[in-house]
């Protein structure tokens, strides 16, 4: 029997453009939503390409508390997975599982992992 592994993992660096306040689900789980702006240069078909995009993201649990503490303009490195925004909207949204704050501290990095 061959079992195919399905992969859905995204790593993204960017700037926090906007962040909603911390709220809680009916079960009491903290939730924070935000908008991340990404800019980079990538190589496509052997040529450099300037990439700019904005992506909606959401964080739950301890990760939401870390995100809620971040100010707009903060440089972040995010790890997570993509999922549909809702049952009615198939637009992708990044579900953040790890946040790395890239600036604003002594060694240049603060790593937060859920769990």
């Amino acid at each position: 029997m061959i079992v195919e592994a399905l992969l859905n993992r995204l790593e993204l660096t960017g700037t926090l453009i906007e962040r909603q306040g911390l709220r809680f689900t009916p079960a009491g789980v903290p939730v924070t939503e935000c908008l991340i702006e990404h800019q980079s240069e990538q190589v496509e078909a052997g040529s450099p390409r300037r990439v700019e995009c904005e992506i909606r993201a959401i964080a739950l649990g301890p990760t939401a508390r870390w995100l809620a503490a971040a100010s707009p303009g903060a440089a972040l490195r995010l790890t997570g997975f993509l999922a549909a925004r809702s049952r009615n909207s198939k637009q992708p949204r990044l579900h953040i599982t790890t946040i790395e704050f890239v600036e604003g501290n002594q060694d240049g990095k603060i790593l937060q992992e859920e769990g």
Side-chain angles (χ1 to χ4, degrees):
M1 177 189 335
I2 298 175
V3 177
E4 184 178 325
L6 302 177
L7 185 60
N8 181 353
R9 178 184 162 110
L10 179 67
E11 294 182 43
L12 183 74
T13 57
T15 304
L16 181 63
I17 299 300
E18 63 183 47
R19 175 190 45 76
Q20 295 180 359
L22 187 67
R23 62 182 173 83
F24 295 87
T25 67
V29 178
V31 178
T32 304
E33 296 184 51
C34 67
L35 180 64
I36 304 295
E37 178 183 55
H38 169 81
Q39 297 180 3
S40 65
E41 188 171 291
Q42 304 295 318
V43 176
E44 183 176 41
S47 298
R49 177 180 174 178
R50 179 82 180 148
V51 175
E52 296 181 25
C53 64
E54 293 181 351
I55 186 166
R56 293 260 169 219
I58 187 168
L60 287 91
T63 308
R65 292 187 186 278
W66 281 91
L67 182 60
S71 298
L76 306 172
R77 180 182 310 267
L78 307 170
T79 303
F81 60 91
L82 294 175
R85 186 167 171 83
S86 68
R87 284 186 222 154
N88 298 327
S89 172
K90 298 302 180 193
Q91 292 293 317
R93 178 168 57 175
L94 172 62
H95 285 247
I96 303 167
T97 56
T98 305
I99 299 174
E100 185 177 327
F101 294 87
V102 180
E103 53 185 44
N105 54 65
Q106 193 173 24
D107 64 359
K109 295 181 181 177
I110 296 176
L111 181 65
Q112 177 278 323
E113 290 192 33
E114 185 173 358

